[in-house]
Amino acid sequence: QPFRGTPGKKSSRAQQWLALSWRNGLVRRLFADEEEFNLHMSRGMLRVSFTITLAKYLGVLRGISRQAKADRLLLQAQMALSENGGPASDTRALTLAQKAAELDSQDPPKLLFLGKALVRLGRDGSDAFRAALALDPAQPEALAQILARLVAKSDWPNALATAETAAETAPQVAELWMIAADLAQKSGRNALAIAYMQRSLCLAPSLPAAHSKAERLYQALGNPTAATCRRTMAERLSAYSAKFKEIGD
């Protein structure tokens, strides 16, 4: 008798129902034998699987289409903002940037540009900048935009706390520690400023800009010896980079 299940195992309710239906001739009238029944079920499962796969594929296509449209809107917004056509041009850039961000809200560059467009019109773009920084913690420009409002108000404690949070979120980014070091110095926390700068130098020892910023920090702290050392290192690295580029060309 078909539909008995696996020997030694308790039959499921579905198997029991099918076995009973087979004995009573209910299933037998629909299907000639168990093989035809299994073939019918396999075809049904195949149709279901195909429908699911097709739905996923169409979803991916829609996502790609939305992203492409958002990219075009961002490009148009950038062009409108670069025209310097006054408030009308800036307003159009903001409208396009908002549409681009709505279509692709997980793209940091679109959120970053939206914040810039808001600031251009004298509005607060902090939410857009914070969203961009949350998606890409290693984005120094988004952090710089957030800090600009705090620095303008000389709110050094909150500026330092914001920079520290960003640096701790992306500890591998040397530039974030440089920003934190600069704000720590302006907050009067000189020892902390030196510690942050040393950390940035450890992360980017071959970056001339890191040594140049360290030089300015030590000058502000009244340590000319350390400043001279950093300046010498920055000059050596810059000369080496220029020579290496010349050889490569």
Side-chain angles (χ1 to χ4, degrees):
Q1 178 186 328
F3 314 114
R4 288 181 176 178
T6 304
K9 291 186 179 180
K10 186 178 180 180
S11 300
S12 65
R13 287 190 176 184
Q15 291 171 332
Q16 293 173 2
W17 181 86
L18 288 171
L20 180 62
S21 299
W22 182 268
R23 286 198 301 270
N24 294 335
L26 297 178
V27 176
R28 194 179 298 118
R29 284 194 295 270
L30 296 175
F31 305 102
D33 52 27
E34 186 177 3
E35 290 184 1
E36 184 178 347
F37 174 78
N38 291 335
L39 179 61
H40 179 79
M41 292 296 293
S42 297
R43 289 174 178 173
M45 292 299 296
L46 183 62
R47 285 194 295 269
V48 171
S49 177
F50 174 77
T51 303
I52 294 174
T53 303
L54 180 61
K56 290 181 178 179
Y57 177 71
L58 292 176
V60 171
L61 287 181
R62 283 194 293 270
I64 294 174
S65 177
R66 285 171 62 89
Q67 185 176 4
K69 184 177 180 181
D71 291 341
R72 290 195 298 270
L73 289 170
L74 177 61
L75 180 60
Q76 293 173 10
Q78 291 171 338
M79 293 175 63
L81 199 64
S82 63
E83 290 174 358
N84 295 322
S89 179
D90 294 344
T91 302
R92 180 171 179 272
L94 175 59
T95 302
L96 292 169
Q98 288 173 331
K99 291 180 180 179
E102 289 174 0
L103 287 172
D104 192 3
S105 60
Q106 299 299 308
D107 187 25
K110 293 182 178 65
L111 295 170
L112 182 61
F113 185 83
L114 174 60
K116 291 180 179 179
L118 288 167
V119 172
R120 182 74 169 262
L121 288 171
R123 297 165 62 178
D124 184 11
S126 299
D127 290 342
F129 293 137
R130 292 185 185 280
L133 186 63
L135 291 170
D136 185 7
Q139 174 58 259
E141 187 177 359
L143 175 61
Q145 294 288 348
I146 295 171
L147 294 174
R149 291 174 60 87
L150 299 173
V151 171
K153 298 184 293 185
S154 297
D155 189 358
W156 304 117
N158 284 330
L160 175 59
T162 302
E164 287 176 328
T165 300
E168 289 167 359
T169 304
Q172 76 283 2
V173 183
E175 190 170 350
L176 297 180
W177 293 106
M178 294 180 202
I179 295 173
D182 181 58
L183 292 171
Q185 185 268 323
K186 292 177 179 177
S187 301
R189 304 181 65 179
N190 296 339
L192 187 63
I194 294 174
Y196 286 161
M197 184 56 70
Q198 290 295 335
R199 184 161 187 172
S200 71
L201 289 172
C202 290
L203 290 169
S206 59
L207 187 65
H211 293 275
S212 297
K213 290 184 178 180
E215 176 200 356
R216 291 193 291 272
L217 174 64
Y218 285 121
Q219 286 177 344
L221 296 176
N223 189 340
T225 303
T228 301
C229 179
R230 292 300 112 197
R231 183 176 67 252
T232 302
M233 183 60 70
E235 291 173 351
R236 288 179 179 176
L237 288 171
S238 297
Y240 176 80
S241 298
K243 185 176 182 180
F244 183 79
K245 184 179 180 180
E246 182 180 349
I247 294 174
D249 295 339

